Amino acid sequence: MEWYAKWIKPQTDTGDVCPLFQKYFFLEKPVKTARLFITALGTYEAVLNGSRVGEFVLAPGWTSYEKRLQYQAYDITNLLEKDNHISVTVGKGWYRSPMPGWSKSSVQEELKKSPAGLLAQLEITYEDGSVEYTVTDETWTFTESPVRFSEIYDGEIYDASMECGSSSAGSGSRDYGSAKPVCAFEGPTHTLIPQQGEEIREQERLTPICIFTTPKGEVVADFGQDITGYVEINLTAKAGETVELSHAEVLDKEGCFYTENYRTAKAQYLYICRDGQQSYKPKLTFFGFRYIRIDQFPGGTSAAKPENFTAVVIHSAMRRTGYFNCSNPLLNQLFDNVIWGQKGNFVDVPTDCPQRDERLGWTGDAQVFIRTACMNYDAEKFYTKWLADMMADQGPDGRVGHVIPDLLSEEPASSAWGDAAAICPWELYLAYGNKELLSSQFTLMKKWISYISTHTETEYLWTGGTHYGDWLGLDAPSGSYKGSTREDFIASAFYAYSTSLVIKAGKVLGEDVAEYEELYTKIVAAFRTAYPEYKTQTECILAAHFHLAEDCRAAADQLATMIKECGVKLQTGFVGTPYILHVLSDYGYSELAYSLLLRKEYPSWLYPVTKGATTIWEHWDGIMPDGNFWSADMNSFNHYAYGSVADWIYSVAGGIRRIPEFPGYEKVKIAPVPDERLDWLSVTLDTRHGKIYSGWKRAGNVWRYEITTPVDAVVVIDGKEQQVTKGTYLFYSEIERA
């Protein structure tokens, strides 16, 4: 891409007001094709002759801006007229908003100093073959836009009363006051890359299920679902009247509006009306919410009606590929919550949560969920872009940050978080079979192993350092967010696991991995010497799942005993929970795994469902049995990590299992594991090679299995393997009863 455009900015600083850049141009010849190439330092919305350009909201997306800034290319041929007007509003977005709100970030502090910059280039090819460019330069102008304020955490203010009519050039364009000069500046050019990730788009629209008044007299609309997006308002009003909305995920136990868990994020928007019928939705920011409080409304808040509000769901434009259904309504709701949790947190970056003053691409959350994510949706393009940012942000010594983009670059790496550098590329390869993608990320993987090897206090283990441990483990000592599993144990276990993945990736790529094989052997030996005994559920899980124990079955037996002794409850956190059901079912405890999955009392996956959850919670008891909240400062109700349980549902309960030698489901193993507490269950995966279906149901004293495979498969029923070619098959087996 050859750029003739210049970066432009307002000649005078507009403060919190978003500038509106404008250009008029005239076409004298018939146009064959026209494209707009554009990006900004912030989020932008481009309008050509009164029509929005493209469907990408929050463009140009969120990347590691110091190293990578995406630009977009739009076909605008059908939007052109003889007289044309293009306008672009630029907000702060992720680029220049104050974030993260809960912690200082020197990276973000530098970005905030950047101007509201715009780079745009219209490439117009005429019917006679000639090409003309209209580019950002000093001939453009700007005005203050009606967007008076827009930031990621705090929301948006829009003054529609500024809309004072249409100008003569270009239908639907608006005049917002006297045009002011722009100036060119040395904006980023060497960091520009074409659009790599999925576009963020509007996906669904929800109407309120009700509007009610709380015991405090607040007027609240309930959309019935915790989402990520914004509210579109539709009303008739007089100029100067206002609509002010606040956002929340939950109500408190008295049924009142609750926002403490948003911490410092204001999550509000204010709309100042013009005369007449009008509609508006935020242009340059987003919110995480289920409820809105109507703080101001023309005629008083009691005048607000459900038809005045529509919740617009946004997320990266991924294609749904995984489906589940069963005879248990609570389990169906759990799976629905997993899907909504992914949609709400896959807004260009796999964030931890979409609502509070955080919304960061936490690597630990990403690595525990990526297998599930790639079953639920075709997420290859989404993760390819994010992993490219991880590679860009990886330190010269191999360090990988807690979050990507790495706004917390001063902090040392943590095990199980930084290990996303090895786990995510390998999981992406197994899901889609893209060897070129794995090759592009192999250096990232190797450098991470080098980081661990040079930042440990004990050779062949990872000891010392600062780690998150088994984050939010239920066996945490009083006053700690970390579980009781030894941090050095976790770090050393992941050191071994990540090294094993480098070996596997290297063999796929034909690389010499002899040194890593030797390193892995020494890590395992050192681990077994240092940790001959396991003290927590998570320690048993990691020792068995990563095949580090001298006797993995004994570790699994110990885990099963621990679970039973505490009342058939898990005590794990972010590190142990994703693997707990797998370890149980791998070593003959499938019934116990189902007992954990189907448990309704706290702590369990279904407990939040019984409390009305519509997404996955950060804490098992975000809302406790007595109706109080777990905490005010760290209590997200849309936090997808524990939704990783869905991969066990797909691959064990439903039985659709990957074969590593045949990545991308080129060949599969189908080994469903039924349970008498369910009457029937089915899963579907739409893979690169077609749709795989696996379902089972009870028929008297017999299990009836139906399997459809588009590829050759190994089917395992009652421990008996048989090879099948593509097609649909029925199998039967006796129900075993104790």
Side-chain angles (χ1 to χ4, degrees):
M1 171 68 187
E2 186 173 1
W3 287 93
Y4 304 105
K6 299 177 183 179
W7 278 100
I8 60 172
K9 64 179 181 179
Q11 203 170 83
T12 54
D13 183 27
T14 60
D16 284 333
V17 176
C18 298
L20 179 72
F21 297 95
Q22 300 185 77
K23 175 73 175 180
Y24 294 93
F25 59 100
F26 179 75
L27 303 179
E28 296 182 347
K29 297 182 290 185
V31 173
K32 181 179 180 181
T33 60
R35 292 188 297 170
L36 171 65
F37 300 90
I38 183 171
T39 190
L41 306 187
T43 49
Y44 70 81
E45 181 185 74
V47 174
L48 178 57
N49 298 328
S51 296
R52 192 185 196 280
V53 176
E55 298 179 73
F56 194 159
V57 297
L58 302 173
W62 189 12
T63 49
S64 297
Y65 292 126
E66 293 178 306
K67 307 170 186 83
R68 291 160 38 84
L69 175 60
Q70 295 182 130
Y71 64 84
Q72 289 70 49
Y74 302 102
D75 185 338
I76 56 170
T77 309
N78 294 333
L79 298 181
L80 287 175
E81 301 172 0
K82 190 171 184 179
D83 294 297
N84 297 276
H85 173 258
I86 184 170
S87 62
V88 184
T89 309
V90 177
K92 293 181 179 179
W94 293 287
Y95 205 110
R96 294 180 294 113
S97 289
M99 55 185 298
W102 59 278
S103 172
K104 272 291 183 183
S105 165
S106 61
V107 174
Q108 195 64 26
E109 289 302 308
E110 284 302 310
L111 289 173
K112 281 167 54 180
K113 298 176 185 176
S114 305
L118 174 67
L119 183 72
Q121 182 164 301
L122 288 84
E123 180 185 271
I124 301 167
T125 303
Y126 293 105
E127 292 284 1
D128 63 9
S130 61
V131 178
E132 183 180 359
Y133 295 94
T134 297
V135 301
T136 46
D137 57 19
E138 294 87 346
T139 65
W140 284 57
T141 60
F142 86 96
T143 62
E144 290 190 356
S145 78
V147 184
R148 312 308 289 171
F149 175 90
S150 181
E151 288 183 357
I152 291 297
Y153 296 151
D154 288 345
E156 197 161 293
I157 299 173
Y158 187 87
D159 187 354
S161 68
M162 292 179 62
E163 299 176 356
C164 54
S166 300
S167 64
S168 59
S171 61
S173 56
R174 297 284 185 180
D175 179 8
Y176 296 120
S178 301
K180 301 175 184 177
V182 302
C183 59
F185 71 103
E186 294 296 323
T189 53
H190 66 285
T191 57
L192 294 176
I193 59 170
Q195 176 69 28
Q196 185 179 27
E198 300 280 11
E199 291 187 0
I200 308 164
R201 293 188 178 184
E202 295 183 352
Q203 303 287 344
E204 301 172 58
R205 301 172 75 84
L206 306 177
T207 56
I209 59 175
C210 65
I211 292 182
F212 61 95
T213 302
T214 73
K216 290 184 178 178
E218 307 154 309
V219 177
V220 174
D222 177 8
F223 291 97
Q225 174 64 52
D226 199 345
I227 71 159
T228 299
Y230 36 74
V231 172
E232 181 178 77
I233 53 175
N234 293 275
L235 74 161
T236 300
K238 297 177 181 178
E241 293 184 317
T242 58
V243 178
E244 184 176 2
L245 306 179
S246 298
H247 299 75
E249 292 187 288
V250 294
L251 306 175
D252 65 19
K253 68 178 182 180
E254 283 78 32
C256 296
F257 200 71
Y258 179 79
T259 59
E260 280 190 71
N261 68 314
Y262 282 49
R263 301 193 296 217
T264 63
K266 294 179 182 177
Q268 297 174 319
Y269 84 71
L270 176 67
Y271 175 77
I272 303 170
C273 301
R274 55 179 170 79
D275 273 328
Q277 198 284 326
Q278 54 209 287
S279 65
Y280 173 74
K281 56 190 176 184
K283 297 175 178 290
L284 304 167
T285 190
F286 67 98
F287 308 87
F289 65 99
R290 171 175 170 170
Y291 301 93
I292 55 169
R293 185 179 63 206
I294 304 159
D295 299 318
Q296 295 185 55
F297 197 82
T301 56
S302 61
K305 305 299 180 189
E307 56 267 27
N308 297 130
F309 308 100
T310 302
V312 181
V313 179
I314 67 166
H315 60 78
S316 292
M318 306 168 294
R319 180 175 62 90
R320 178 82 180 269
T321 54
Y323 297 87
F324 163 81
N325 205 359
C326 76
S327 58
N328 185 319
L330 292 179
L331 197 54
N332 289 337
Q333 182 64 54
L334 171 67
F335 197 87
D336 199 42
N337 293 359
V338 173
I339 296 296
W340 277 103
Q342 182 169 350
K343 290 191 290 190
N345 282 291
F346 278 44
V347 179
D348 208 39
V349 166
T351 57
D352 58 328
C353 59
Q355 77 294 94
R356 68 188 181 207
D357 58 354
E358 192 166 351
R359 313 186 200 182
L360 302 175
W362 284 92
T363 48
D365 303 56
Q367 65 89 0
V368 303
F369 190 73
I370 186 170
R371 183 180 298 184
T372 291
C374 293
M375 292 176 170
N376 291 336
Y377 285 89
D378 185 342
E380 182 179 16
K381 187 175 181 181
F382 175 87
Y383 278 115
T384 297
K385 174 253 182 187
W386 186 69
L387 284 170
D389 284 302
M390 184 183 291
M391 288 187 283
D393 278 343
Q394 187 174 33
D397 61 353
R399 175 193 169 278
V400 173
H402 306 325
V403 300
I404 300 297
D406 192 2
L407 302 187
L408 307 177
S409 57
E410 292 89 352
E411 299 185 15
S414 169
S415 66
W417 273 248
D419 287 286
I423 295 169
C424 291
W426 181 248
E427 288 293 335
L428 210 57
Y429 169 71
L430 291 182
Y432 303 111
N434 189 335
K435 189 183 292 187
E436 290 183 5
L437 183 58
L438 183 64
S439 177
S440 71
Q441 294 158 349
F442 191 51
T443 299
L444 167 73
M445 301 172 74
K446 291 189 296 181
K447 285 178 65 178
W448 171 244
I449 301 303
S450 176
Y451 176 87
I452 301 172
S453 300
T454 55
H455 287 75
T456 179
E457 297 175 358
T458 307
E459 191 175 24
Y460 307 126
L461 298 173
W462 189 0
T463 60
T466 303
H467 305 278
Y468 287 107
D470 192 20
W471 188 248
L472 301 183
L474 293 170
D475 56 1
S478 177
S480 174
Y481 286 145
K482 301 179 183 180
S484 292
T485 298
R486 291 166 284 182
E487 291 182 29
D488 289 347
F489 185 106
I490 294 171
S492 298
F494 274 89
Y495 185 17
Y497 183 52
S498 289
T499 302
S500 75
L501 298 183
V502 169
I503 295 168
K504 291 177 180 179
K507 289 182 176 180
V508 167
L509 299 172
E511 299 281 347
D512 181 1
V513 291
E515 67 173 294
Y516 293 99
E517 291 177 313
E518 181 182 357
L519 174 62
Y520 178 73
T521 299
K522 291 178 177 178
I523 294 171
V524 173
F527 185 92
R528 290 174 176 174
T529 299
Y531 306 110
E533 297 179 349
Y534 314 127
K535 301 180 179 180
T536 66
Q537 289 184 11
T538 291
E539 290 186 4
C540 293
I541 291 165
L542 296 184
H545 193 68
F546 292 164
H547 304 290
L548 299 175
E550 288 275 7
D551 185 342
C552 291
R553 176 166 294 281
D557 291 343
Q558 183 183 348
L559 171 65
T561 299
M562 286 179 164
I563 291 170
K564 293 173 183 176
E565 287 179 346
C566 69
V568 190
K569 294 186 293 188
L570 47 72
Q571 295 290 296
T572 50
F574 269 41
V575 168
T577 300
Y579 309 124
I580 188 170
L581 299 189
H582 286 285
V583 172
L584 291 172
S585 58
D586 286 348
Y587 292 94
Y589 294 101
S590 295
E591 185 177 346
L592 184 56
Y594 267 108
S595 293
L596 291 180
L597 178 66
L598 298 174
R599 177 185 170 89
K600 291 183 287 188
E601 300 78 22
Y602 164 79
S604 67
W605 281 279
L606 295 186
Y607 168 75
V609 176
T610 68
K611 302 296 285 186
T614 62
T615 42
I616 300 298
W617 291 356
E618 183 174 17
H619 298 275
W620 303 107
D621 59 342
I623 299 175
M624 297 189 292
D626 64 3
N628 290 315
F629 294 110
W630 186 88
S631 73
D633 69 320
M634 196 178 72
N635 201 15
S636 163
F637 293 95
N638 192 353
H639 225 84
Y640 66 81
Y642 287 144
S644 57
V645 69
D647 97 69
W648 187 88
I649 295 172
Y650 282 118
S651 62
V652 179
I656 301 177
R657 308 188 186 193
R658 304 175 308 192
I659 300 176
E661 294 77 16
F662 299 94
Y665 302 91
E666 182 182 355
K667 183 176 180 179
V668 294
K669 180 178 181 180
I670 304 177
V673 178
D675 186 272
E676 276 204 83
R677 285 163 286 187
L678 297 177
D679 294 325
W680 58 271
L681 179 148
S682 67
V683 293
T684 304
L685 282 182
D686 191 355
T687 74
R688 290 286 185 270
H689 298 277
K691 289 184 180 180
I692 306 170
Y693 170 84
S694 176
W696 48 261
K697 65 179 180 180
R698 287 191 296 183
N701 290 324
V702 174
W703 289 116
R704 179 184 184 274
Y705 304 89
E706 181 177 344
I707 292 167
T708 301
T709 173
V711 296
D712 291 346
V714 178
V715 175
V716 183
I717 303 295
D718 289 343
K720 299 175 183 178
E721 288 191 3
Q722 51 188 306
Q723 304 283 335
V724 300
T725 57
K726 61 182 180 180
T728 298
Y729 300 86
L730 295 177
F731 302 92
Y732 298 88
S733 68
E734 291 291 328
I735 293 177
E736 295 183 9
R737 290 189 168 92

